[in-house]
C-alpha cells in the first residue's frame, strides 16, 4: 500500500491548484499545490524506482501523451472562442506553454524526470543527493536575484526556473533513505536557504515554497502509525492528474453558475472534475492514458 500521507497531500495539492486558477482568496498560498506536485514526482521516482530507470518511451506515454491530447482539446476550445491558440511570442515557447495556462507542467516534468532517470545510471545516489542539495540551496538562497529577473524572460522559462528548486528537493527527499546519516548534513544549509527565500518576501514564491516544501517534508516523514488503517485515499489520489488536466474546463462551467474567485466554485469544480475522471477511468480504462 502506498504512503497515505503522500496520497492525501496529492489530493490537497490538486485542490490548491484549482483554487489558484480560480483566483479564490489566498490563491497565492494555494499555488503551493504545484510545488507539492513538483517535489512528489521526482521524490517517488527515485525512492521507489531507483533500480528501474524509465525509458524515454515510458515517460512519453505517461506525460507527453496526455499533454498532446489536452493541447488539442484546449486548442479546439480556443478556436471555438476565436482566441489565439498559442499565445506565447514564438512557436517553440507557445508549444511548451501549451494551449492552456497549466499545460507547461507536463513537458517540464517530462524533461526533469528524463534527466533524473539518466542520472540513476550515471550517478551514485550520494553524488546525486549532494548535487541536488547544493543546487536547491543555491536557488533558494538567491531567489531574490533570479526571480525578478526571470519574469522578463521568454515564456515558459520563468515557470521552468521557478520549478527547478522543488524538483531538486524532491530528489533529495527521495534519496534520503539511501544515503543514510549523510542526509542530516544537508538539513541545516537547506533550511537556512529556505529561510532566506522566505525572508525575500516575494509574492507567490516565498510563501509558496515554504508551504509546499513544509507540507511535503511532513507527509514524507510521517509514520504510517499516524494514519488509521481504514484511511485509504489512493483511488481518489489516482484521479488527481486527471483533475489537474481537466479542471480549467470545469472552472469555466462553474464560474458562470456560481461566479469566479470564490470557494463554492472551487469545491464544485474539484468535486465534479474528480467524479468525471473517476468515471472515465472506471468505465473506459484506456482513458487512463490521458487522465
Amino acid at each position: 500500500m502506498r504512503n497515505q500521507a503522500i496520497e492525501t497531500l496529492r489530493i490537497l495539492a490538486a485542490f490548491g491548484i484549482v483554487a489558484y486558477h480560480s483566483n479564490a482568496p489566498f490563491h497565492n498560498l494555494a499555488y503551493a499545490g504545484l510545488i507539492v506536485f513538483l517535489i512528489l514526482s521526482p521524490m517517488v521516482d527515485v525512492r521507489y524506482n531507483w533500480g528501474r530507470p524509465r525509458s524515454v518511451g515510458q515517460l512519453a506515454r505517461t506525460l507527453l501523451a496526455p499533454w498532446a491530447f489536452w493541447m488539442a482539446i484546449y486548442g479546439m476550445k480556443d478556436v471555438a472562442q476565436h482566441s489565439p491558440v498559442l499565445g506565447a511570442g514564438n512557436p517553440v515557447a507557445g508549444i511548451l506553454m501549451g494551449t492552456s495556462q497549466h499545460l507547461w507542467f507536463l513537458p517540464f516534468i517530462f524533461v526533469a524526470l528524463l534527466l533524473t532517470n539518466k542520472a540513476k545510471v550515471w550517478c551514485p545516489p550520494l553524488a546525486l543527493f549532494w548535487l541536488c542539495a547544493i543546487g536547491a540551496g543555491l536557488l533558494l538562497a538567491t531567489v531574490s536575484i533570479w526571480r525578478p529577473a526571470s519574469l522578463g524572460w521568454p515564456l515558459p522559462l520563468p515557470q521552468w526556473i521557478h520549478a527547478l528548486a522543488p524538483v531538486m528537493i524532491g530528489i533529495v527527499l527521495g534519496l534520503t533513505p539511501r544515503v543514510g546519516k549523510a542526509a542530516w548534513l544537508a538539513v541545516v544549509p537547506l533550511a537556512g536557504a529556505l529561510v532566506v527565500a522566505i525572508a525575500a518576501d516575494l509574492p507567490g514564491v516565498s510563501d509558496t515554497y515554504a508551504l509546499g516544501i513544509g507540507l511535503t517534508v511532513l507527509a514524507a516523514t510521517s509514520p504510517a502509525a499516524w494514519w488509521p488503517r481504514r484511511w485509504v485515499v489512493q483511488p481518489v489520489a489516482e484521479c488527481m492528474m486527471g483533475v489537474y488536466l481537466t479542471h480549467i474546463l470545469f472552472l469555466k462551467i462553474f464560474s458562470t453558475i456560481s461566479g469566479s474567485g470564490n470557494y463554492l466554485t472551487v469545491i464544485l469544480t474539484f468535486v465534479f472534475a474528480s467524479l468525471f475522471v473517476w468515471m472515465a477511468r472506471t468505465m473506459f480504462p484506456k482513458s487512463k492514458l490521458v487522465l
Side-chain angles (χ1 to χ4, degrees), residues 65-136:
W67 172 69
F69 179 84
W70 289 100
M71 280 273 287
I73 295 295
Y74 286 105
M76 288 188 286
K77 178 182 75 70
D78 290 337
V79 170
Q81 295 177 341
H82 305 287
S83 302
V85 175
L86 297 176
N90 64 74
V92 174
I95 291 171
L96 291 176
M97 277 300 297
T99 50
S100 182
Q101 58 187 322
H102 64 305
L103 293 179
W104 70 268
F105 172 80
L106 290 166
F108 169 80
I109 206 66
F110 168 78
V111 172
L113 290 180
L114 180 63
L115 293 175
T116 301
N117 277 267
K118 294 296 183 184
K120 290 178 186 177
V121 179
W122 300 335
C123 293
L126 187 60
L128 183 59
F129 174 89
W130 281 111
L131 181 65
C132 290
I134 293 169

Side-chain angles (χ1 to χ4, degrees), residues 33 43 49 69 123 125 129 133 163 199 203 214-215 220 238 246 250 256 265 272:
M43 185 189 85
N49 298 306
F69 179 84
C123 293
F129 174 89
L215 287 174
E238 288 175 348
T246 61
F250 285 95
T256 63
T265 297
F272 277 86

Side-chain angles (χ1 to χ4, degrees), residues 159-179:
Q159 288 92 334
W160 283 44
I161 295 171
H162 177 56
L164 275 178
V167 165
M168 291 182 176
I169 288 172
I171 295 172
V172 168
L173 289 174
L175 288 175
T176 294
R178 293 184 176 274
V179 301

Side-chain angles (χ1 to χ4, degrees), residues 10-254:
R10 201 186 304 273
I11 297 170
L12 293 175
F15 183 86
I17 289 169
V18 176
Y20 174 76
H21 284 141
S22 71
N23 286 318
F26 308 107
H27 66 279
N28 278 336
L29 275 178
Y31 193 54
L34 176 68
I35 303 301
V36 169
F37 274 127
L38 288 165
I39 297 174
L40 288 181
S41 295
M43 185 189 85
V44 171
D45 188 63
V46 298
R47 177 171 292 188
Y48 301 110
N49 298 306
W50 180 262
R52 301 190 301 271
R54 288 189 282 176
S55 68
V56 175
Q58 289 173 317
L59 290 170
R61 285 191 295 273
T62 302
L63 297 167
L64 296 189
W67 172 69
F69 179 84
W70 289 100
M71 280 273 287
I73 295 295
Y74 286 105
M76 288 188 286
K77 178 182 75 70
D78 290 337
V79 170
Q81 295 177 341
H82 305 287
S83 302
V85 175
L86 297 176
N90 64 74
V92 174
I95 291 171
L96 291 176
M97 277 300 297
T99 50
S100 182
Q101 58 187 322
H102 64 305
L103 293 179
W104 70 268
F105 172 80
L106 290 166
F108 169 80
I109 206 66
F110 168 78
V111 172
L113 290 180
L114 180 63
L115 293 175
T116 301
N117 277 267
K118 294 296 183 184
K120 290 178 186 177
V121 179
W122 300 335
C123 293
L126 187 60
L128 183 59
F129 174 89
W130 281 111
L131 181 65
C132 290
I134 293 169
L138 289 174
L139 284 169
L140 290 173
T142 59
V143 66
S144 62
I145 299 172
W146 59 260
R147 183 57 181 171
S150 71
L151 295 177
W153 298 346
L155 297 173
L157 280 178
Q159 288 92 334
W160 283 44
I161 295 171
H162 177 56
L164 275 178
V167 165
M168 291 182 176
I169 288 172
I171 295 172
V172 168
L173 289 174
L175 288 175
T176 294
R178 293 184 176 274
V179 301
K181 294 181 180 179
W184 288 103
L185 298 176
V187 170
V188 173
L190 276 176
L194 181 58
V195 169
V196 172
I198 296 170
D201 197 25
L202 294 171
V205 178
S206 299
D207 48 2
T208 301
Y209 279 158
L211 184 59
I213 294 170
L215 287 174
T216 311
V217 170
L218 183 63
T221 57
S222 64
W226 288 6
W227 296 84
R229 289 188 177 184
R230 294 184 179 181
W231 184 267
V232 180
V233 297
Q234 188 172 329
V236 179
E238 288 175 348
C239 297
M240 291 303 102
M241 179 53 75
V243 170
Y244 180 88
L245 292 167
T246 61
H247 76 277
I248 297 295
L249 295 176
F250 285 95
L251 266 179
K252 187 77 173 178
I253 295 169
F254 288 110

